[in-house]
Amino acid sequence: MKEIKCSVIQDLLPLYVDEVVSNDTKTLVNEHLQVCEDCKKEYEQMKGTLYVPIENKATLFSQLNKRWNRKKWLLVFGSVLTTTLLGFALFSFIFHYAKPIPYTADLFVIEEMEDGTLVSNYLGESHAGTHGTHPLAVEIDGEIKNISLIYYDETIANSPTSNFLREDKRIGSEQFILPDSQNVDAVYYGEFDLEKVIKEEQTWEELLQQMTLIWER
Ligand SMILES: [Zn+2]
């Protein structure tokens, strides 16, 4: 046994410390370490430094664990975010996606005040918004007329028959004064996009055909 060179033992030490040697080798190294101070010192040192990786293993494990946790959290955060976005989209759809309320005589009544001002009375439960124009001089059947265009829009939450939230506790009609309406000859109801007319994508005639004449002086 004494014939084994220290260099051979020291070559084996890392494996010995890691406990990945055969029992024979283990016994061999054990026996040598009991008689050789040099190799024992080497062994103690190696044990000292090689114990660190064992702690590192724990660290590595906790890092992996943390990483996994972060992944999990990202997943949770991601699904929360998705839910929030979906909720927001639904919210937007319910409260902001507006479309024109079709004209019906029982919902919209134009009333002329004593001074000639026109007031639009809305008789529905609720609505989202009101769109109106200042008087526009338009040639209709060869005659220049001052017309006002108007329409109301609704969302799912706010519509003539909505009872979605019942925030609108208004009793009776809601009034909207048509701007500069004393000189207005006619009021048309319906969705309009004046930009189209200005850009000549649509003629006045085409636009007014889509709308409903709801009041005439
Ligand atoms: Zn030795």
Side-chain angles (χ1 to χ4, degrees):
M1 290 297 172
K2 282 176 188 170
E3 283 142 28
I4 298 170
K5 284 185 181 172
C6 285
S7 64
V8 174
I9 290 297
Q10 286 175 14
D11 279 349
L12 286 170
L13 275 180
L15 300 172
Y16 174 82
V17 169
D18 266 357
E19 293 178 348
V20 287
V21 288
S22 67
N23 281 336
D24 286 347
T25 312
K26 199 173 172 180
T27 312
L28 197 85
V29 177
N30 275 342
E31 282 169 359
H32 182 87
L33 288 180
Q34 276 165 18
V35 292
C36 173
E37 275 306 306
D38 284 351
C39 284
K40 196 175 180 184
K41 261 185 198 168
E42 189 76 13
Y43 163 70
E44 294 294 344
Q45 257 184 356
M46 203 173 276
K47 202 170 74 169
T49 53
L50 281 187
Y51 264 120
V52 175
I54 289 163
E55 281 168 14
N56 277 349
K57 270 180 203 163
T59 316
L60 183 70
F61 178 73
S62 88
Q63 270 177 354
L64 280 173
N65 203 27
K66 266 184 205 160
R67 203 176 299 171
W68 186 80
N69 271 330
R70 200 171 61 183
K71 217 172 181 180
K72 196 168 70 174
W73 275 112
L74 279 175
L75 210 72
V76 170
F77 178 72
S79 65
V80 166
L81 189 73
T82 309
T83 310
T84 308
L85 285 176
L86 277 176
F88 183 72
L90 188 66
F91 179 86
S92 300
F93 181 71
I94 290 172
F95 291 93
H96 298 287
Y97 177 67
K99 57 179 182 156
I101 300 173
Y103 176 77
T104 51
D106 58 334
L107 276 183
F108 310 100
V109 176
I110 299 291
E111 190 183 354
E112 187 181 350
M113 300 282 106
E114 276 180 25
D115 64 352
T117 301
L118 298 179
V119 173
S120 172
N121 294 281
Y122 176 75
L123 307 170
E125 286 285 343
S126 66
H127 67 282
T130 312
H131 305 255
T133 65
H134 283 260
L136 303 155
V138 175
E139 191 181 323
I140 298 169
D141 299 328
E143 226 182 307
I144 299 289
K145 286 189 173 177
N146 283 320
I147 63 167
S148 277
L149 311 181
I150 185 176
Y151 75 91
Y152 290 71
D153 60 23
E154 62 179 335
T155 59
I156 289 171
N158 295 301
S159 75
T161 55
S162 171
N163 55 7
F164 188 79
L165 281 181
R166 289 275 174 201
E167 260 182 27
D168 194 337
K169 296 261 161 62
R170 172 168 47 82
I171 297 165
S173 66
E174 189 192 78
Q175 298 195 314
F176 166 68
I177 298 166
L178 275 72
D180 304 327
S181 54
Q182 279 153 313
N183 302 316
V184 163
D185 298 310
V187 178
Y188 286 80
Y189 185 94
E191 193 182 16
F192 56 84
D193 182 0
L194 291 182
E195 214 169 294
K196 277 187 180 175
V197 180
I198 292 162
K199 286 180 178 171
E200 294 183 338
E201 289 167 12
Q202 192 179 37
T203 65
W204 278 113
E205 203 178 9
E206 282 165 352
L207 175 62
L208 294 181
Q209 259 170 16
Q210 290 172 11
M211 301 180 78
T212 311
L213 177 65
I214 61 168
W215 185 87
E216 215 170 2
R217 199 177 290 277

